[in-house]
Amino acid sequence: MTDSPRYNRPDEDPGERLDRQWNELLQELRLAQTGTQILFAFLLSIAFQNRFQDADGFTHAVYTVTLIASALAVGLFLAPVSFHRIVYRRKLRDRMLPIAGRMAVGGMIFLILAIAGGILIAVDVVLPRPAAIIIVAAVLLWFTVLWYAVPAWVRRTSANEE
């Protein structure tokens, strides 16, 4: 994993840099884990509501995909912790960080899907289904732009400056 010169600190050795990067990733994961776990718990409770059991097949399918996406997001956000515990004190942080970072990105993809599914389930109750689907498509676009397109654009334009 190669850092840009701007991200390296002159006062830290490679081990300190890996420690800092690991701590930064953990801070990001703490935020994502908490929200995703709350969403997952909420989704689990929906299936046991009487009104939900009377819902149509579309709602049940959206719920199933949403619940699975949420569970996959939880798994990916927690995976770096397990990974770290298993390779702890083996001096593998340089190999662990890129993989854990990819796990976090994967978790974010599933989190977006879970959020969109949750919105679809809720908005489908109060609006006509086509309107609910349009709203969810807009939300998916919003998250995609903010979470992926903007960072990718900044990364690409920053790389041109180096």
Side-chain angles (χ1 to χ4, degrees), residues 134-162:
I134 290 168
I135 289 169
V136 168
V139 168
L140 281 170
L141 178 63
W142 175 259
F143 275 102
T144 302
V145 167
L146 289 179
W147 287 14
Y148 294 98
V150 170
W153 176 77
V154 168
R155 187 177 192 172
R156 188 180 68 247
T157 58
S158 297
N160 293 340
E161 294 172 8
E162 292 176 7

Side-chain angles (χ1 to χ4, degrees), residues 103-116:
M103 290 173 176
V105 169
M108 290 168 56
I109 290 168
F110 284 111
L111 178 57
I112 289 172
L113 294 175
I115 290 170

Side-chain angles (χ1 to χ4, degrees), residues 1 3 6 12 19 29 33 37-39 41-42 45 53 56 60 69 71 73 89 91 104 117 123 127 130 139 141 150:
M1 183 169 146
D3 290 328
R6 286 185 286 206
E12 64 185 3
D19 287 344
L29 289 172
Q33 286 171 345
Q37 289 169 337
I38 291 168
L39 175 62
F42 173 74
S45 70
Q53 292 175 7
D56 65 5
H60 287 165
R89 293 191 178 174
K91 298 183 181 180
V123 175
L127 294 177
V139 168
L141 178 63
V150 170

Side-chain angles (χ1 to χ4, degrees), residues 51 59 118-133 135:
R51 279 190 65 193
T59 302
I119 291 170
L120 183 54
I121 291 168
V123 175
D124 189 43
V125 172
V126 296
L127 294 177
R129 186 160 288 159
I133 291 171
I135 289 169

